[in-house]
Amino acid sequence: MKPAKLNGFKTYTQAVQEGKYDLYVGNLFGKYDNVRTYWEDQLTKIVLRPFLSNLVDNQGKKNQGIRIVDLGCGAGQGYDILTKIDRHNLDLGVQHKRILPNNDLSVFLGLDISQAMVEKGQVLFADHPHVRFKQADLSEGLGDLKKNEEPFDLYFSSYGSLSHLARKDLVNLLQDICCHGKRDSLIVMDLIGRYSIEWPDFWDAQSEEEKVREYNMSYLYSESVRQTIDIESFPIRFWTGEEVRELTKEITINTGINLEVIKLVDRSILVGRHTDTRAFNPKLKQTRRLINSLHEDYLRTNLEELILDATIFPEHHFITPMLHELINSWNILIKFTKHRLSHNHSLPELQGWDSFPKPLQFALMTMDRVISDVGWMWYCDPRANIIEPQLGYALRTLEYEMQQGWGCGHGLIAILKIG
């Protein structure tokens, strides 16, 4: 008798070989971890919202769509960021109303040095006729785009793509953009901040050579995998907010076209990618891993581990006071939440309330209300699935509202306007 035919055997074998049946660990590490999804992408959208809204409204008055070029686009992830920004904060009864729906987008052109990324983007967006991808080396400026493309309304970059350029090459690119763009065109630069607690040894860099350091993306792998493989390093130019202002002044002088800094924002001050790897600062606590845990379904976080101390970075004449205030506020919020979870309706004593920063006061009131409102629930683990994610959002807002745009985060978002 012949053995029974194993229907689908090859399909299942291939799926196993491709890792489809590996143990699921949630979004606790890797490129698209929870911090990326619930903190970084969302903060980028919050920062961009008013500026993109004005841009879309002004073009709408002319019956024109928005033209966007994504500089260092990868496989097109910037498209999702820009097209999924809500016009307003959502109350419970409002549906999503995007600032930039597809029918308001005239052109989205993605540029990347990697042909593999370009081809992947072409596959992913094959059914989007207004989306195009092109291989380009940004260290050579805009290249033939200067003569082959109409001006763009938004020259966009995300996740450190422009930090891959040496300063002189970024100057050249920005000069090309200023000459190619039009009045009120926006430039969004997402750079790597030099004053991050992830690499305090870089803070006092003086020469241009010292501001370019070897960097790696070891955070893409779990800790156990990182110990078994060789991880590529490559040069990155680290930036401060003041250097961005100096850069725009230089561009203005060189081109005669006014380039204005209209927003600088530090993103991921205490939860940068390398807080987990500790590749550049071994004193760090793995804060990002813990915040990822706050946002993970059915996973309770040991809040005591989230308490930070100021020995994780050295003294610095103007960075230290801001970081101390942020860490102190962070710790007060964690301890308050921990107490409320452990003592039901009991409120801890909060010494010095009147001296607390306003963002901290609001965060404390928010967490008190959340715990009071859901503490009676018994199903679906309200602590893991409601309270802890809300604590994550409260910490995110605390960090965002206390940042100064100095280059103290893993990311430094700079929004520039052509005058």
Side-chain angles (χ1 to χ4, degrees):
M1 179 180 295
K2 294 183 179 180
K5 186 176 181 180
L6 297 177
N7 291 324
F9 175 76
K10 290 184 178 179
T11 299
Y12 283 107
T13 300
Q14 181 177 349
V16 171
Q17 291 172 346
E18 292 177 355
K20 307 300 186 187
Y21 285 83
D22 289 353
L23 290 176
Y24 177 68
V25 296
N27 286 8
L28 296 177
F29 67 89
K31 186 176 180 64
Y32 298 105
D33 64 355
N34 287 325
V35 172
R36 163 76 183 258
T37 301
Y38 298 116
W39 281 48
E40 294 169 338
D41 283 353
Q42 299 307 316
L43 283 179
T44 299
K45 293 175 183 179
I46 290 170
V47 174
L48 292 177
R49 175 193 281 173
F51 306 104
L52 185 61
S53 180
N54 287 338
L55 204 60
V56 171
D57 290 346
N58 290 337
Q59 287 301 101
K61 293 173 183 176
K62 306 173 188 175
N63 293 318
Q64 295 178 356
I66 298 294
R67 290 177 53 83
I68 298 173
V69 60
D70 189 345
L71 307 166
C73 62
Q77 289 80 8
Y79 182 92
D80 282 338
I81 291 176
L82 293 170
T83 58
K84 292 182 180 177
I85 303 177
D86 287 301
R87 276 198 169 271
H88 309 286
N89 290 328
L90 299 177
D91 64 31
L92 296 180
V94 174
Q95 299 299 316
H96 291 290
K97 185 177 181 181
R98 308 298 193 190
I99 290 175
L100 187 59
N102 289 334
N103 56 356
D104 284 344
L105 185 57
S106 175
V107 172
F108 182 94
L109 174 60
L111 304 180
D112 201 276
I113 194 170
S114 168
Q115 183 62 30
M117 286 292 188
V118 168
E119 292 172 1
K120 183 66 173 179
Q122 290 169 339
V123 171
L124 293 175
F125 291 87
D127 59 346
H128 291 62
H130 52 280
V131 177
R132 294 184 280 123
F133 291 88
K134 178 180 173 64
Q135 194 276 334
D137 184 351
L138 296 176
S139 68
E140 300 175 356
L142 288 181
D144 59 8
L145 258 68
K146 290 181 289 187
K147 58 182 179 181
N148 294 335
E149 292 284 348
E150 294 294 318
F152 294 95
D153 302 292
L154 178 60
Y155 297 80
F156 176 78
S157 73
S158 59
Y159 291 100
S161 58
L162 296 187
S163 267
H164 289 272
L165 299 181
R167 188 185 189 282
K168 63 179 181 60
D169 293 330
L170 183 56
V171 167
N172 182 47
L173 175 64
L174 290 176
Q175 289 180 169
D176 276 1
I177 291 173
C178 283
C179 294
H180 182 259
K182 56 187 178 181
R183 185 178 181 84
D184 294 333
S185 288
L186 296 180
I187 305 169
V188 175
M189 298 197 299
D190 197 334
L191 305 165
I192 303 295
R194 191 164 86 239
Y195 292 139
S196 170
I197 61 172
E198 297 160 278
W199 33 73
D201 289 348
F202 299 0
W203 288 4
D204 292 323
Q206 299 297 319
S207 68
E208 186 58 32
E209 290 75 15
E210 291 175 320
K211 295 171 185 177
V212 178
R213 301 290 184 104
E214 288 297 307
Y215 181 82
N216 65 64
M217 297 171 69
S218 56
Y219 54 79
L220 294 177
Y221 309 96
S222 66
E223 191 167 1
S224 59
V225 172
R226 288 199 296 268
Q227 296 172 356
T228 63
I229 62 174
D230 291 327
I231 297 173
E232 177 190 15
S233 293
F234 46 87
I236 283 285
R237 209 294 188 175
F238 295 80
W239 288 86
T240 70
E242 184 58 32
E243 287 178 326
V244 172
R245 295 188 186 279
E246 293 170 356
L247 183 69
T248 58
K249 291 177 183 176
E250 180 179 338
I251 302 298
T252 297
I253 292 171
N254 291 349
T255 63
I257 300 169
N258 186 53
L259 184 60
E260 176 188 4
V261 177
I262 56 177
K263 190 76 172 180
L264 287 170
V265 172
D266 289 324
R267 189 190 58 221
S268 301
I269 297 174
L270 300 178
V271 295
R273 286 291 192 178
H274 284 290
T275 56
D276 274 6
T277 69
R278 295 175 288 192
F280 303 93
N281 182 2
K283 293 183 178 181
L284 291 176
K285 183 174 284 190
Q286 291 178 303
T287 321
R288 191 177 181 111
R289 173 181 60 83
L290 294 166
I291 298 298
N292 279 331
S293 174
L294 286 181
H295 289 284
E296 194 69 17
D297 293 343
Y298 294 98
L299 181 63
R300 293 193 175 194
T301 307
N302 183 351
L303 299 186
E304 186 65 30
E305 293 184 9
L306 270 168
I307 302 296
L308 303 177
D309 63 67
T311 64
I312 57 178
F313 58 87
E315 290 291 320
H316 191 279
H317 64 285
F318 76 89
I319 299 171
T320 298
M322 185 277 290
L323 289 176
H324 278 177
E325 184 177 40
L326 174 58
I327 288 175
N328 184 54
S329 298
W330 175 288
N331 287 343
I332 289 172
L333 180 57
I334 296 295
K335 291 175 182 178
F336 174 85
T337 304
K338 185 172 179 287
H339 180 97
R340 287 290 279 110
L341 290 173
S342 302
H343 297 81
N344 292 325
H345 300 293
S346 171
L347 284 171
E349 290 188 21
L350 291 171
Q351 301 292 332
W353 173 270
D354 291 340
S355 66
F356 289 174
K358 293 297 182 184
L360 173 59
Q361 292 180 347
F362 184 79
L364 289 167
M365 291 187 290
T366 297
M367 290 311 302
D368 180 56
R369 187 65 177 269
V370 168
I371 294 169
S372 295
D373 287 351
V374 306
W376 59 271
M377 295 181 180
W378 63 270
Y379 50 86
C380 295
D381 196 348
R383 170 174 169 169
N385 297 332
I386 300 175
I387 296 172
E388 288 196 7
Q390 289 303 313
L391 175 59
Y393 294 129
L395 290 169
R396 183 192 76 182
T397 301
L398 192 70
E399 190 180 77
Y400 172 63
E401 294 188 353
M402 295 181 72
Q403 60 79 34
Q404 301 293 326
W406 291 342
C408 296
H410 183 99
L412 173 61
I413 301 174
I415 302 181
L416 318 178
K417 184 177 182 180
I418 300 175

